[in-house]
Amino acid sequence: MARPQFFGLHAEPSKRMKLFLMVIPFVVLIGLYFVASYFRHLTNESDKLLPTLSQMFDAFIRMAFVQDRRTGDYLLLTDAFHSLYRIFTGVFLASITALMIGLNMGLYKGFKALGNPLITFIAMVPPLSILPILFIAFGVGDFGKIMLIFIGTAPIMARDVSLYVSSIPKETIIKAQTLGAKNLAVTYRIIMPMVIPKLIDSIRLSLGSAWLFVIAAEGISSTSGLGYRIFLMRRYMNMEVIIPYVILITLLGVGMDLALRHYVKKRYNWYVATNN
């Protein structure tokens, strides 16, 4: 009896079926949008809520390839550069901090007793609620936005890494010590390389939050960035600019996620095999 490809507890979709199932939701959503846009423009040609494809394409070309009269910049490229700089810097600092804290909390019970309550407390604080405090303390420039990303993502990643390290079989540590490895060698030469792929997975899961924080911060106080441009265009109901910007943010996020996933798959085959 042939195994079902779509419905059932033991279904095994073929590659062609997986591709088909993947495309369906996007086709439906895009189709619904353009149908709604068509009917809105049928009754009101100057409708701004649901711009047509040509309007969005023209706006994208204008923002990406036409120099701004006031600054001489290509606005979309400049905005993307500033947002990506803040994202990469904040997440990089958060990941290094999370690796060090999570690794030591997972291995040393004393360090866990010292740091875990504070890390848990900070992780429970909604980062956007302390945004005014961060702007006062660190300024409204890039540093304040980077700190928001750092505080919003580092505690979550640290707890994730700590839980993963705690789940590593104790036999691994005992064997290393039996062979003469000291505490620091066990921590940073044996366990830490095992934790890197898990850290990358944590980064992938934190990217959505990082984008949320940077867009919110740029929308509140900034003169550049994708979030700044979206909030600026909102004042004038320029949806033909806002929607391409949102799509660009989504594509950048997906691209970063796929790049990290591909790196883990190529570099850490053992991790992928044991977690699938």
Side-chain angles (χ1 to χ4, degrees):
M1 184 176 178
R3 180 175 292 182
Q5 291 194 31
F6 173 59
F7 186 77
L9 293 175
H10 305 288
E12 287 284 348
S14 62
K15 290 184 178 180
R16 183 176 298 179
M17 176 60 72
K18 287 180 180 179
L19 179 61
F20 178 72
L21 294 174
M22 180 183 68
V23 169
I24 283 179
F26 293 97
V27 172
V28 171
L29 289 175
I30 294 172
L32 289 174
Y33 174 86
F34 285 119
V35 168
S37 176
Y38 171 78
F39 281 107
R40 287 189 68 92
H41 283 270
L42 200 61
T43 56
N44 180 13
E45 293 183 357
S46 59
D47 180 77
K48 289 188 173 184
L49 183 61
L50 298 176
T52 63
L53 180 62
S54 62
Q55 289 174 328
M56 289 189 289
F57 180 77
D58 291 342
F60 176 82
I61 295 298
R62 183 177 71 253
M63 300 298 291
F65 303 111
V66 178
Q67 287 182 303
D68 182 63
R69 296 178 184 178
R70 184 170 58 87
T71 63
D73 295 330
Y74 298 96
L75 294 180
L76 187 142
L77 301 179
T78 301
D79 290 336
F81 171 79
H82 284 96
S83 292
L84 288 173
Y85 165 73
R86 292 158 186 159
I87 286 280
F88 284 135
T89 305
V91 171
F92 174 76
L93 294 175
S95 62
I96 296 299
T97 303
L99 176 62
M100 294 295 103
I101 294 176
L103 177 64
N104 286 281
M105 283 200 311
L107 284 176
Y108 302 103
K109 292 183 178 180
F111 195 91
K112 184 175 183 178
L114 174 68
N116 189 58
L118 178 61
I119 295 298
T120 302
F121 177 81
I122 296 175
M124 294 300 109
V125 176
L128 293 179
S129 68
I130 61 172
L131 183 56
I133 300 174
L134 295 178
F135 278 170
I136 293 171
F138 303 111
V140 297
D142 284 345
F143 189 53
K145 299 175 181 64
I146 290 169
M147 286 304 299
L148 175 65
I149 297 171
F150 176 84
I151 293 174
T153 57
I156 306 298
M157 288 193 284
R159 295 178 71 193
D160 196 24
V161 170
S162 175
L163 290 172
Y164 180 76
V165 173
S166 299
S167 68
I168 294 176
K170 298 300 180 183
E171 291 80 3
T172 302
I173 299 174
I174 294 172
K175 288 177 181 178
Q177 291 178 324
T178 303
L179 294 173
K182 303 298 183 182
N183 287 345
L184 290 179
V186 171
T187 303
Y188 297 107
R189 297 185 62 183
I190 297 174
I191 302 300
M192 190 169 74
M194 298 172 60
V195 175
I196 298 299
K198 179 59 179 178
L199 175 66
I200 295 175
D201 273 352
S202 296
I203 292 172
R204 288 175 52 207
L205 295 175
S206 299
L207 283 176
S209 298
W211 275 108
L212 170 64
F213 300 144
V214 76
I215 295 302
E218 290 174 348
I220 293 173
S221 178
S222 188
T223 57
S224 63
L226 298 171
Y228 162 75
R229 196 67 54 189
I230 288 174
F231 278 79
L232 179 65
M233 294 296 107
R234 178 184 60 86
R235 301 176 187 174
Y236 310 104
M237 280 290 291
N238 285 349
M239 295 295 290
E240 69 275 10
V241 174
I242 294 175
I243 293 177
Y245 263 65
V246 172
I247 294 173
L248 175 62
I249 292 170
T250 305
L251 293 177
L252 288 173
V254 171
M256 293 161 68
D257 181 83
L258 290 175
L260 291 173
R261 184 188 303 177
H262 179 74
Y263 176 76
V264 170
K265 186 176 180 180
K266 292 294 184 182
R267 181 69 175 79
Y268 302 98
N269 288 327
W270 57 267
Y271 176 81
V272 176
T274 56
N275 287 273
N276 284 337

